[in-house]
Amino acid sequence: MTRGMIYKAMFIVAILVFAVLLILPTVGKREMSVVLEKDATAEQVADLEKRFTGGGMLVVRTDGVVSVSGYGINDAVMNEVKIISGVKDVRILPHWSEKALLAKKMNLGLDLQGGMNLVMRADFESIEHKQGKKLTDSEKRDITQQALELLRNRIDKFGVSEPSIRPRGVEAIEIQLPGVKDPMSVKKAIGTTGRVEYRLVDDEYTRLAGLWLKNNVHRLKEGKIPEDVEQQYTILEEAAKAIGLSPKSELLFFYERDEKTKKILPAYPIALEKKVALAGDDISRAWVGHDEFGRLSVHFTTTPDGASKFATVTSAKNHGRKLAIVIDEKVRSAPQVNVQITTGQALIQGDFTLEEVNTLTRIIKEGALPVNLVIIEERTVGPSLGQDAIDAGIKATIMAFSVVMIFMVAYYKLSGFIASVGLILNMICQLALLSWLGFTLTLPGIAGFILTLGMAVDSNVLIYERIREEQRSGKSPRIAVVNGFERAFWAIVDSNITTLIAAFVLSQFGTGPIKGFAVTLSIGLISSLFVVLYVTRFVFELLSLSKNLKKLSV
């Protein structure tokens, strides 16, 4: 063996060892540390340990901490454990290779580990309707970015680890929450704008608007005010025009709770001054309490500036008037002003449920969203379904791999065996690159992964057929190997580059699963080029050095 080949061998071994070390955080055992509450009961600890019984997990309990080690520990499992009663904190301990080599674990998509995927569109039409002008793309982008940051804060309150929150275009935001078990409460919290306003009521216009609705109720479907916001806008615009509403006022609907369905529904129109007397920004602290009637309400204290505004709006000149409490463009209460409030303390009262006051309190603390968000796409995958998808993906990969190996060994004998070993190395290199880049593997990604196995075999077939032709023409094994690889080289490179171009286009213009497929395919092609044209060639060159070899087994 020449010195050059020794260096080559050392380089290949180093690359493969490094690749194996990189995939350890992904395929190796992981350890999760669960810190228990001080007052955690024996039943709660037993429930926690039961969660990991029978899954090949090792559970060790010491001084209020439960350590769980085994395969399949991921973010979804961690988020699932976080909501178990008696659990204070959970974290997945880093693998030793993550500390030593800066290796990263390969994340699993929601379709593989379970969780919730939401795409929300910003309702810019309502802002444009209120401002009376079109928003520019730059303004829309700024508003979307503000909404994204506020959503991130709200999701952090749920304790969801590794959430993915990103803009999709100018008008939409995509949210991925691995392992979320209660999608309804998440949707309520992140889909609620949370804009709170105090505004004075105009009784005369309210009376006229009510009269207009009474005379036109026959035009409404089943005599009911529609729940659709766009249809409500149309009714209110028509009513405002009919009663000659002042430009300084605005019509909204007063909402009441239906006794049967428990839903809050629009009841009648109410005229409000456009000027906001007190906004959510003026509130410094909020908490859940009860009003004088024993109903749930949100108590708050204002900022010094807010206290001054509140004292002004509740001064003697407004005594006897109503002050409406507007939440997300819905009037929920309109108490009468009887005394001036100068303490900066008041409450938001209405017919609230406990869940509504909790959500409102939390949102007031964090700030209102700058725009209403409408859910346009929703997908929830249960953890068991995700595990089924992983098992199916692994099964498909093993089957594809086995069939290809059997065919190659049967048809090309020793060379087929070398190609099969090359496939294993190719798979290790792919996983290493995907892990190192922090790629998120999804089901379409597994499809791309399997596709590259087939394409790698294509390259081997091209090379072997050229080597066969060289041997038929009487060339020695060494010359046949050199000529075979050189004659097949450009055909292999050209075909892979054209596929890479297609994958690049897909990754640039595709979203979600399509992008995942394109990235896996690209990495697989690069990896297979390295293994087929460099590693496999080295093995054949090594074989052809043997003086006793008369003919290669191809």
Side-chain angles (χ1 to χ4, degrees), residues 184-214:
M184 288 305 294
S185 61
V186 173
K187 275 197 297 183
K188 279 183 183 173
I190 63 180
T192 304
T193 311
R195 191 179 299 113
V196 179
E197 295 172 348
Y198 274 77
R199 293 161 67 179
L200 284 167
V201 177
D202 190 313
D203 290 330
E204 180 56 21
Y205 280 124
T206 300
R207 186 185 68 78
L208 291 173
L211 193 62
W212 178 90
L213 186 67
K214 188 179 178 183

PDB file of all heavy atoms in Angstrom, residues 184-214:
ATOM      1  N   MET A 184     -56.961  22.714  23.519  1.00  0.00           N
ATOM      2  CA  MET A 184     -58.004  23.727  23.637  1.00  0.00           C
ATOM      3  C   MET A 184     -57.532  24.932  24.461  1.00  0.00           C
ATOM      4  O   MET A 184     -57.737  26.079  24.065  1.00  0.00           O
ATOM      5  CB  MET A 184     -59.249  23.113  24.299  1.00  0.00           C
ATOM      6  CG  MET A 184     -60.009  22.159  23.398  1.00  0.00           C
ATOM      7  SD  MET A 184     -60.481  22.893  21.821  1.00  0.00           S
ATOM      8  CE  MET A 184     -61.647  24.118  22.371  1.00  0.00           C
ATOM      9  N   SER A 185     -56.894  24.655  25.602  1.00  0.00           N
ATOM     10  CA  SER A 185     -56.455  25.770  26.441  1.00  0.00           C
ATOM     11  C   SER A 185     -55.344  26.561  25.758  1.00  0.00           C
ATOM     12  O   SER A 185     -55.262  27.784  25.888  1.00  0.00           O
ATOM     13  CB  SER A 185     -55.974  25.259  27.804  1.00  0.00           C
ATOM     14  OG  SER A 185     -54.888  24.390  27.639  1.00  0.00           O
ATOM     15  N   VAL A 186     -54.489  25.854  25.001  1.00  0.00           N
ATOM     16  CA  VAL A 186     -53.425  26.559  24.264  1.00  0.00           C
ATOM     17  C   VAL A 186     -54.041  27.458  23.206  1.00  0.00           C
ATOM     18  O   VAL A 186     -53.668  28.623  23.061  1.00  0.00           O
ATOM     19  CB  VAL A 186     -52.468  25.543  23.602  1.00  0.00           C
ATOM     20  CG1 VAL A 186     -51.480  26.258  22.699  1.00  0.00           C
ATOM     21  CG2 VAL A 186     -51.729  24.762  24.663  1.00  0.00           C
ATOM     22  N   LYS A 187     -55.014  26.933  22.492  1.00  0.00           N
ATOM     23  CA  LYS A 187     -55.649  27.725  21.433  1.00  0.00           C
ATOM     24  C   LYS A 187     -56.337  28.957  22.007  1.00  0.00           C
ATOM     25  O   LYS A 187     -56.279  30.028  21.429  1.00  0.00           O
ATOM     26  CB  LYS A 187     -56.678  26.866  20.686  1.00  0.00           C
ATOM     27  CG  LYS A 187     -56.077  26.034  19.577  1.00  0.00           C
ATOM     28  CD  LYS A 187     -57.111  25.538  18.611  1.00  0.00           C
ATOM     29  CE  LYS A 187     -58.099  24.622  19.243  1.00  0.00           C
ATOM     30  NZ  LYS A 187     -59.082  24.080  18.302  1.00  0.00           N
ATOM     31  N   LYS A 188     -56.990  28.796  23.155  1.00  0.00           N
ATOM     32  CA  LYS A 188     -57.683  29.935  23.757  1.00  0.00           C
ATOM     33  C   LYS A 188     -56.696  31.010  24.172  1.00  0.00           C
ATOM     34  O   LYS A 188     -56.944  32.199  24.032  1.00  0.00           O
ATOM     35  CB  LYS A 188     -58.488  29.464  24.970  1.00  0.00           C
ATOM     36  CG  LYS A 188     -59.817  28.834  24.580  1.00  0.00           C
ATOM     37  CD  LYS A 188     -60.605  28.463  25.805  1.00  0.00           C
ATOM     38  CE  LYS A 188     -61.899  27.761  25.398  1.00  0.00           C
ATOM     39  NZ  LYS A 188     -62.620  27.225  26.538  1.00  0.00           N
ATOM     40  N   ALA A 189     -55.569  30.567  24.718  1.00  0.00           N
ATOM     41  CA  ALA A 189     -54.597  31.538  25.230  1.00  0.00           C
ATOM     42  C   ALA A 189     -53.859  32.269  24.109  1.00  0.00           C
ATOM     43  O   ALA A 189     -53.671  33.476  24.172  1.00  0.00           O
ATOM     44  CB  ALA A 189     -53.592  30.835  26.123  1.00  0.00           C
ATOM     45  N   ILE A 190     -53.480  31.538  23.073  1.00  0.00           N
ATOM     46  CA  ILE A 190     -52.681  32.201  22.036  1.00  0.00           C
ATOM     47  C   ILE A 190     -53.551  32.794  20.939  1.00  0.00           C
ATOM     48  O   ILE A 190     -53.096  33.618  20.161  1.00  0.00           O
ATOM     49  CB  ILE A 190     -51.630  31.245  21.425  1.00  0.00           C
ATOM     50  CG1 ILE A 190     -52.308  30.069  20.725  1.00  0.00           C
ATOM     51  CG2 ILE A 190     -50.691  30.752  22.469  1.00  0.00           C
ATOM     52  CD1 ILE A 190     -51.314  29.123  20.107  1.00  0.00           C
ATOM     53  N   GLY A 191     -54.816  32.363  20.873  1.00  0.00           N
ATOM     54  CA  GLY A 191     -55.683  32.906  19.823  1.00  0.00           C
ATOM     55  C   GLY A 191     -56.493  34.090  20.294  1.00  0.00           C
ATOM     56  O   GLY A 191     -57.214  34.702  19.534  1.00  0.00           O
ATOM     57  N   THR A 192     -56.387  34.414  21.599  1.00  0.00           N
ATOM     58  CA  THR A 192     -57.122  35.567  22.132  1.00  0.00           C
ATOM     59  C   THR A 192     -56.243  36.798  22.036  1.00  0.00           C
ATOM     60  O   THR A 192     -55.116  36.794  22.521  1.00  0.00           O
ATOM     61  CB  THR A 192     -57.487  35.312  23.613  1.00  0.00           C
ATOM     62  OG1 THR A 192     -58.213  34.094  23.675  1.00  0.00           O
ATOM     63  CG2 THR A 192     -58.325  36.436  24.155  1.00  0.00           C
ATOM     64  N   THR A 193     -56.794  37.852  21.432  1.00  0.00           N
ATOM     65  CA  THR A 193     -55.998  39.066  21.286  1.00  0.00           C
ATOM     66  C   THR A 193     -55.694  39.672  22.657  1.00  0.00           C
ATOM     67  O   THR A 193     -54.593  40.114  22.913  1.00  0.00           O
ATOM     68  CB  THR A 193     -56.766  40.087  20.428  1.00  0.00           C
ATOM     69  OG1 THR A 193     -57.220  39.421  19.263  1.00  0.00           O
ATOM     70  CG2 THR A 193     -55.887  41.255  20.048  1.00  0.00           C
ATOM     71  N   GLY A 194     -56.730  39.714  23.534  1.00  0.00           N
ATOM     72  CA  GLY A 194     -56.495  40.215  24.892  1.00  0.00           C
ATOM     73  C   GLY A 194     -56.462  41.730  24.994  1.00  0.00           C
ATOM     74  O   GLY A 194     -55.878  42.279  25.914  1.00  0.00           O
ATOM     75  N   ARG A 195     -57.112  42.423  24.037  1.00  0.00           N
ATOM     76  CA  ARG A 195     -57.113  43.883  24.095  1.00  0.00           C
ATOM     77  C   ARG A 195     -58.248  44.334  25.014  1.00  0.00           C
ATOM     78  O   ARG A 195     -59.419  44.038  24.773  1.00  0.00           O
ATOM     79  CB  ARG A 195     -57.302  44.469  22.688  1.00  0.00           C
ATOM     80  CG  ARG A 195     -57.058  45.974  22.626  1.00  0.00           C
ATOM     81  CD  ARG A 195     -57.221  46.510  21.238  1.00  0.00           C
ATOM     82  NE  ARG A 195     -56.268  45.907  20.333  1.00  0.00           N
ATOM     83  CZ  ARG A 195     -56.606  45.090  19.343  1.00  0.00           C
ATOM     84  NH1 ARG A 195     -57.857  44.796  19.132  1.00  0.00           N
ATOM     85  NH2 ARG A 195     -55.686  44.571  18.549  1.00  0.00           N
ATOM     86  N   VAL A 196     -57.901  45.045  26.091  1.00  0.00           N
ATOM     87  CA  VAL A 196     -58.890  45.515  27.056  1.00  0.00           C
ATOM     88  C   VAL A 196     -58.980  47.036  26.971  1.00  0.00           C
ATOM     89  O   VAL A 196     -57.961  47.722  26.980  1.00  0.00           O
ATOM     90  CB  VAL A 196     -58.487  45.102  28.491  1.00  0.00           C
ATOM     91  CG1 VAL A 196     -59.495  45.605  29.491  1.00  0.00           C
ATOM     92  CG2 VAL A 196     -58.371  43.599  28.585  1.00  0.00           C
ATOM     93  N   GLU A 197     -60.219  47.552  26.885  1.00  0.00           N
ATOM     94  CA  GLU A 197     -60.410  49.000  26.796  1.00  0.00           C
ATOM     95  C   GLU A 197     -61.616  49.414  27.639  1.00  0.00           C
ATOM     96  O   GLU A 197     -62.605  48.680  27.719  1.00  0.00           O
ATOM     97  CB  GLU A 197     -60.663  49.428  25.341  1.00  0.00           C
ATOM     98  CG  GLU A 197     -59.499  49.211  24.407  1.00  0.00           C
ATOM     99  CD  GLU A 197     -59.875  49.462  22.959  1.00  0.00           C
ATOM    100  OE1 GLU A 197     -61.089  49.583  22.657  1.00  0.00           O
ATOM    101  OE2 GLU A 197     -58.960  49.535  22.129  1.00  0.00           O
ATOM    102  N   TYR A 198     -61.509  50.585  28.263  1.00  0.00           N
ATOM    103  CA  TYR A 198     -62.648  51.212  28.923  1.00  0.00           C
ATOM    104  C   TYR A 198     -63.084  52.385  28.040  1.00  0.00           C
ATOM    105  O   TYR A 198     -62.266  53.240  27.702  1.00  0.00           O
ATOM    106  CB  TYR A 198     -62.242  51.744  30.301  1.00  0.00           C
ATOM    107  CG  TYR A 198     -62.324  50.721  31.403  1.00  0.00           C
ATOM    108  CD1 TYR A 198     -61.356  49.747  31.550  1.00  0.00           C
ATOM    109  CD2 TYR A 198     -63.382  50.742  32.311  1.00  0.00           C
ATOM    110  CE1 TYR A 198     -61.427  48.814  32.562  1.00  0.00           C
ATOM    111  CE2 TYR A 198     -63.458  49.805  33.334  1.00  0.00           C
ATOM    112  CZ  TYR A 198     -62.479  48.849  33.450  1.00  0.00           C
ATOM    113  OH  TYR A 198     -62.566  47.921  34.452  1.00  0.00           O
ATOM    114  N   ARG A 199     -64.369  52.390  27.647  1.00  0.00           N
ATOM    115  CA  ARG A 199     -64.845  53.477  26.776  1.00  0.00           C
ATOM    116  C   ARG A 199     -66.236  53.913  27.226  1.00  0.00           C
ATOM    117  O   ARG A 199     -67.072  53.067  27.611  1.00  0.00           O
ATOM    118  CB  ARG A 199     -64.871  53.001  25.318  1.00  0.00           C
ATOM    119  CG  ARG A 199     -63.465  52.745  24.784  1.00  0.00           C
ATOM    120  CD  ARG A 199     -63.472  51.859  23.559  1.00  0.00           C
ATOM    121  NE  ARG A 199     -64.094  52.500  22.431  1.00  0.00           N
ATOM    122  CZ  ARG A 199     -64.213  51.939  21.237  1.00  0.00           C
ATOM    123  NH1 ARG A 199     -63.733  50.728  21.037  1.00  0.00           N
ATOM    124  NH2 ARG A 199     -64.796  52.569  20.253  1.00  0.00           N
ATOM    125  N   LEU A 200     -66.510  55.226  27.150  1.00  0.00           N
ATOM    126  CA  LEU A 200     -67.811  55.758  27.572  1.00  0.00           C
ATOM    127  C   LEU A 200     -68.896  55.397  26.567  1.00  0.00           C
ATOM    128  O   LEU A 200     -68.654  55.341  25.354  1.00  0.00           O
ATOM    129  CB  LEU A 200     -67.715  57.273  27.721  1.00  0.00           C
ATOM    130  CG  LEU A 200     -66.982  57.775  28.986  1.00  0.00           C
ATOM    131  CD1 LEU A 200     -66.667  59.255  28.877  1.00  0.00           C
ATOM    132  CD2 LEU A 200     -67.818  57.484  30.242  1.00  0.00           C
ATOM    133  N   VAL A 201     -70.112  55.146  27.085  1.00  0.00           N
ATOM    134  CA  VAL A 201     -71.250  54.749  26.249  1.00  0.00           C
ATOM    135  C   VAL A 201     -72.087  55.988  25.912  1.00  0.00           C
ATOM    136  O   VAL A 201     -72.273  56.873  26.751  1.00  0.00           O
ATOM    137  CB  VAL A 201     -72.127  53.729  26.997  1.00  0.00           C
ATOM    138  CG1 VAL A 201     -73.355  53.349  26.172  1.00  0.00           C
ATOM    139  CG2 VAL A 201     -71.307  52.491  27.340  1.00  0.00           C
ATOM    140  N   ASP A 202     -72.562  56.031  24.649  1.00  0.00           N
ATOM    141  CA  ASP A 202     -73.502  57.082  24.246  1.00  0.00           C
ATOM    142  C   ASP A 202     -74.907  56.470  24.268  1.00  0.00           C
ATOM    143  O   ASP A 202     -75.265  55.689  23.384  1.00  0.00           O
ATOM    144  CB  ASP A 202     -73.146  57.592  22.834  1.00  0.00           C
ATOM    145  CG  ASP A 202     -73.952  58.838  22.478  1.00  0.00           C
ATOM    146  OD1 ASP A 202     -75.188  58.815  22.702  1.00  0.00           O
ATOM    147  OD2 ASP A 202     -73.365  59.825  21.997  1.00  0.00           O
ATOM    148  N   ASP A 203     -75.707  56.831  25.285  1.00  0.00           N
ATOM    149  CA  ASP A 203     -77.018  56.193  25.477  1.00  0.00           C
ATOM    150  C   ASP A 203     -77.992  56.501  24.335  1.00  0.00           C
ATOM    151  O   ASP A 203     -78.784  55.639  23.952  1.00  0.00           O
ATOM    152  CB  ASP A 203     -77.621  56.639  26.809  1.00  0.00           C
ATOM    153  CG  ASP A 203     -76.873  56.045  27.987  1.00  0.00           C
ATOM    154  OD1 ASP A 203     -76.337  54.932  27.829  1.00  0.00           O
ATOM    155  OD2 ASP A 203     -76.810  56.683  29.039  1.00  0.00           O
ATOM    156  N   GLU A 204     -77.971  57.732  23.800  1.00  0.00           N
ATOM    157  CA  GLU A 204     -78.935  58.094  22.771  1.00  0.00           C
ATOM    158  C   GLU A 204     -78.708  57.284  21.491  1.00  0.00           C
ATOM    159  O   GLU A 204     -79.637  56.728  20.906  1.00  0.00           O
ATOM    160  CB  GLU A 204     -78.832  59.603  22.484  1.00  0.00           C
ATOM    161  CG  GLU A 204     -79.793  60.119  21.417  1.00  0.00           C
ATOM    162  CD  GLU A 204     -81.261  59.794  21.735  1.00  0.00           C
ATOM    163  OE1 GLU A 204     -81.594  59.534  22.905  1.00  0.00           O
ATOM    164  OE2 GLU A 204     -82.080  59.771  20.780  1.00  0.00           O
ATOM    165  N   TYR A 205     -77.450  57.231  21.043  1.00  0.00           N
ATOM    166  CA  TYR A 205     -77.147  56.443  19.834  1.00  0.00           C
ATOM    167  C   TYR A 205     -77.397  54.946  20.085  1.00  0.00           C
ATOM    168  O   TYR A 205     -77.798  54.222  19.182  1.00  0.00           O
ATOM    169  CB  TYR A 205     -75.700  56.660  19.398  1.00  0.00           C
ATOM    170  CG  TYR A 205     -75.499  57.955  18.625  1.00  0.00           C
ATOM    171  CD1 TYR A 205     -74.568  58.894  19.051  1.00  0.00           C
ATOM    172  CD2 TYR A 205     -76.231  58.222  17.468  1.00  0.00           C
ATOM    173  CE1 TYR A 205     -74.367  60.077  18.356  1.00  0.00           C
ATOM    174  CE2 TYR A 205     -76.043  59.414  16.770  1.00  0.00           C
ATOM    175  CZ  TYR A 205     -75.114  60.331  17.212  1.00  0.00           C
ATOM    176  OH  TYR A 205     -74.920  61.493  16.526  1.00  0.00           O
ATOM    177  N   THR A 206     -77.147  54.501  21.325  1.00  0.00           N
ATOM    178  CA  THR A 206     -77.417  53.097  21.657  1.00  0.00           C
ATOM    179  C   THR A 206     -78.916  52.810  21.504  1.00  0.00           C
ATOM    180  O   THR A 206     -79.320  51.780  20.962  1.00  0.00           O
ATOM    181  CB  THR A 206     -76.970  52.782  23.092  1.00  0.00           C
ATOM    182  OG1 THR A 206     -75.569  53.024  23.199  1.00  0.00           O
ATOM    183  CG2 THR A 206     -77.250  51.332  23.464  1.00  0.00           C
ATOM    184  N   ARG A 207     -79.734  53.751  21.976  1.00  0.00           N
ATOM    185  CA  ARG A 207     -81.196  53.575  21.859  1.00  0.00           C
ATOM    186  C   ARG A 207     -81.613  53.528  20.386  1.00  0.00           C
ATOM    187  O   ARG A 207     -82.401  52.668  19.969  1.00  0.00           O
ATOM    188  CB  ARG A 207     -81.902  54.727  22.582  1.00  0.00           C
ATOM    189  CG  ARG A 207     -83.420  54.588  22.669  1.00  0.00           C
ATOM    190  CD  ARG A 207     -84.039  55.818  23.271  1.00  0.00           C
ATOM    191  NE  ARG A 207     -83.933  56.983  22.413  1.00  0.00           N
ATOM    192  CZ  ARG A 207     -84.706  57.221  21.343  1.00  0.00           C
ATOM    193  NH1 ARG A 207     -85.631  56.359  20.996  1.00  0.00           N
ATOM    194  NH2 ARG A 207     -84.533  58.310  20.605  1.00  0.00           N
ATOM    195  N   LEU A 208     -81.064  54.454  19.583  1.00  0.00           N
ATOM    196  CA  LEU A 208     -81.428  54.504  18.157  1.00  0.00           C
ATOM    197  C   LEU A 208     -80.980  53.236  17.430  1.00  0.00           C
ATOM    198  O   LEU A 208     -81.699  52.685  16.585  1.00  0.00           O
ATOM    199  CB  LEU A 208     -80.783  55.740  17.499  1.00  0.00           C
ATOM    200  CG  LEU A 208     -81.345  57.102  17.953  1.00  0.00           C
ATOM    201  CD1 LEU A 208     -80.521  58.248  17.374  1.00  0.00           C
ATOM    202  CD2 LEU A 208     -82.804  57.230  17.520  1.00  0.00           C
ATOM    203  N   ALA A 209     -79.771  52.755  17.768  1.00  0.00           N
ATOM    204  CA  ALA A 209     -79.259  51.544  17.109  1.00  0.00           C
ATOM    205  C   ALA A 209     -80.110  50.323  17.483  1.00  0.00           C
ATOM    206  O   ALA A 209     -80.407  49.460  16.636  1.00  0.00           O
ATOM    207  CB  ALA A 209     -77.801  51.307  17.494  1.00  0.00           C
ATOM    208  N   GLY A 210     -80.530  50.266  18.766  1.00  0.00           N
ATOM    209  CA  GLY A 210     -81.386  49.171  19.209  1.00  0.00           C
ATOM    210  C   GLY A 210     -82.723  49.182  18.485  1.00  0.00           C
ATOM    211  O   GLY A 210     -83.257  48.134  18.097  1.00  0.00           O
ATOM    212  N   LEU A 211     -83.252  50.405  18.300  1.00  0.00           N
ATOM    213  CA  LEU A 211     -84.535  50.550  17.599  1.00  0.00           C
ATOM    214  C   LEU A 211     -84.413  50.111  16.135  1.00  0.00           C
ATOM    215  O   LEU A 211     -85.292  49.444  15.582  1.00  0.00           O
ATOM    216  CB  LEU A 211     -84.970  52.021  17.694  1.00  0.00           C
ATOM    217  CG  LEU A 211     -86.401  52.345  17.299  1.00  0.00           C
ATOM    218  CD1 LEU A 211     -87.391  51.612  18.212  1.00  0.00           C
ATOM    219  CD2 LEU A 211     -86.651  53.874  17.383  1.00  0.00           C
ATOM    220  N   TRP A 212     -83.273  50.518  15.522  1.00  0.00           N
ATOM    221  CA  TRP A 212     -83.054  50.149  14.106  1.00  0.00           C
ATOM    222  C   TRP A 212     -82.982  48.620  13.970  1.00  0.00           C
ATOM    223  O   TRP A 212     -83.577  48.048  13.051  1.00  0.00           O
ATOM    224  CB  TRP A 212     -81.745  50.776  13.613  1.00  0.00           C
ATOM    225  CG  TRP A 212     -81.425  50.411  12.183  1.00  0.00           C
ATOM    226  CD1 TRP A 212     -81.797  51.065  11.056  1.00  0.00           C
ATOM    227  CD2 TRP A 212     -80.683  49.260  11.749  1.00  0.00           C
ATOM    228  NE1 TRP A 212     -81.350  50.419   9.940  1.00  0.00           N
ATOM    229  CE2 TRP A 212     -80.656  49.301  10.335  1.00  0.00           C
ATOM    230  CE3 TRP A 212     -80.043  48.218  12.398  1.00  0.00           C
ATOM    231  CZ2 TRP A 212     -80.008  48.340   9.569  1.00  0.00           C
ATOM    232  CZ3 TRP A 212     -79.403  47.257  11.635  1.00  0.00           C
ATOM    233  CH2 TRP A 212     -79.388  47.316  10.237  1.00  0.00           C
ATOM    234  N   LEU A 213     -82.269  47.965  14.911  1.00  0.00           N
ATOM    235  CA  LEU A 213     -82.128  46.501  14.836  1.00  0.00           C
ATOM    236  C   LEU A 213     -83.490  45.821  15.029  1.00  0.00           C
ATOM    237  O   LEU A 213     -83.795  44.820  14.359  1.00  0.00           O
ATOM    238  CB  LEU A 213     -81.141  46.011  15.907  1.00  0.00           C
ATOM    239  CG  LEU A 213     -80.802  44.527  15.844  1.00  0.00           C
ATOM    240  CD1 LEU A 213     -80.028  44.205  14.577  1.00  0.00           C
ATOM    241  CD2 LEU A 213     -80.007  44.089  17.058  1.00  0.00           C
ATOM    242  N   LYS A 214     -84.288  46.386  15.940  1.00  0.00           N
ATOM    243  CA  LYS A 214     -85.612  45.797  16.199  1.00  0.00           C
ATOM    244  C   LYS A 214     -86.478  45.857  14.939  1.00  0.00           C
ATOM    245  O   LYS A 214     -87.216  44.910  14.618  1.00  0.00           O
ATOM    246  CB  LYS A 214     -86.280  46.570  17.351  1.00  0.00           C
ATOM    247  CG  LYS A 214     -87.558  45.966  17.854  1.00  0.00           C
ATOM    248  CD  LYS A 214     -88.112  46.784  19.007  1.00  0.00           C
ATOM    249  CE  LYS A 214     -89.437  46.198  19.476  1.00  0.00           C
ATOM    250  NZ  LYS A 214     -90.034  47.040  20.554  1.00  0.00           N
TER     251      LYS A 214
END
